[in-house]
Amino acid sequence: MHEGGPRRNGGLGFSIAAPSAVLSFEPSDDFSLIDNRKVPMGEPERQAVLARLRLVSGRLSFRSNVAITLEGDMPTHFGMGSGTAIRLACLEGAFLSEGLTYTSADVVVASGRGGTSGVGISTYFSGGFVFDLGIASEKAAGFHPSSKVDAMSLPLLLTQTVLPRWPLGICIPRACKPKSQAEEIEFFARSAPIDAYSSYEAAYASVFGVLTSVLEQDYEAFTSAINDMQGAKWKRLEAEQYGSALERARSSLRRLGADCVGMSSLGPALYFFAPDERLQEINDLQAELDCEVLLTTPNNFGRKVVEHQC
């Protein structure tokens, strides 16, 4: 995330089993998208998905369109990668409805996603833990969130592996308002690039802390590395957007026995690992914490496609 380096962006992350989204597709005269989730996407995001579908339909000469219905409890703008996952699902559903033969790369290229991090485009298909090395600086389009970048070159995937089924929870502080797409863009414009030393520090913690602990399935090293990552400058800048409310939630989780607490992407969702009995205690105290807590597990298989015959 600094100027002058050989590569830009890059990322690490993992897929979780819940919260999830379910999309259904039916033939239609025009593309449409109805979002019935409790926390739906905004109108600009919905229109962006429809615009992408129409663009791809025109390029590939689709014979028909699809009406899409979106259900589930995966919220939008909480740092869970919903934007990338939903766009990929919409395009894959359209490809299936059209009867096309395709590869995962075909769907990714059609989506325009993956211009900053390869985590979302990789975990969508196969789940697990992903570490990518970003994009060569001369091919990168500045410092922007994925919503603003139409990928011309995809990140270099270093590894994708199984994340052990360590006990895991998600915590969303009710006092933290999620950032809109416009606010995400403004944050990047205000905060990037960072100084080179801080960028090196984050890369070191990512490789020799998080990545190695996953490959060696070392839970103690993994949780320690996740905690260390929260002190990296870029992650601190992301967390500071939410003020004291997010820090109170993070401190409470640690006090209640979480071995590590991290903020996912631009937040405000926090993820935490802890022994099963501690997870249940935290879940039982979510009203007192003023947070929405969800107990989940790593997802090491990716999305599930179910075809129904009419």
Side-chain angles (χ1 to χ4, degrees), residues 2-21:
H2 66 285
E3 290 282 17
R7 304 191 72 80
R8 189 165 291 179
N9 299 314
L12 69 164
F14 55 90
S15 182
I16 57 177
S20 62

Side-chain angles (χ1 to χ4, degrees), residues 21-96:
V22 178
L23 294 91
S24 57
F25 301 81
E26 295 182 358
S28 175
D29 293 335
D30 190 14
F31 287 110
S32 65
L33 172 57
I34 298 174
D35 189 347
N36 290 329
R37 294 174 299 160
K38 181 179 178 181
V39 184
M41 67 181 74
E43 186 59 18
E45 291 92 329
R46 193 179 72 87
Q47 290 300 329
V49 172
L50 291 172
R52 174 62 59 167
L53 284 165
R54 294 184 180 112
L55 175 66
V56 173
S57 173
R59 285 176 178 174
L60 300 181
S61 301
F62 280 13
R63 295 165 308 204
S64 61
N65 304 315
V66 288
I68 306 168
T69 303
L70 174 54
E71 312 275 355
D73 53 2
M74 177 192 287
T76 291
H77 290 308
F78 282 84
M80 296 189 188
S82 64
T84 295
I86 289 169
R87 180 177 290 205
L88 290 169
C90 287
L91 283 161
E92 186 172 21
F95 281 16
L96 286 166

Side-chain angles (χ1 to χ4, degrees), residues 163-186:
L163 184 71
R165 291 179 65 83
W166 293 322
L168 164 65
I170 302 296
C171 172
I172 302 176
R174 292 192 176 94
C176 294
K177 179 184 177 184
K179 301 300 178 184
S180 67
Q181 193 173 94
E183 287 173 318
E184 290 178 355
I185 293 170
E186 189 277 331

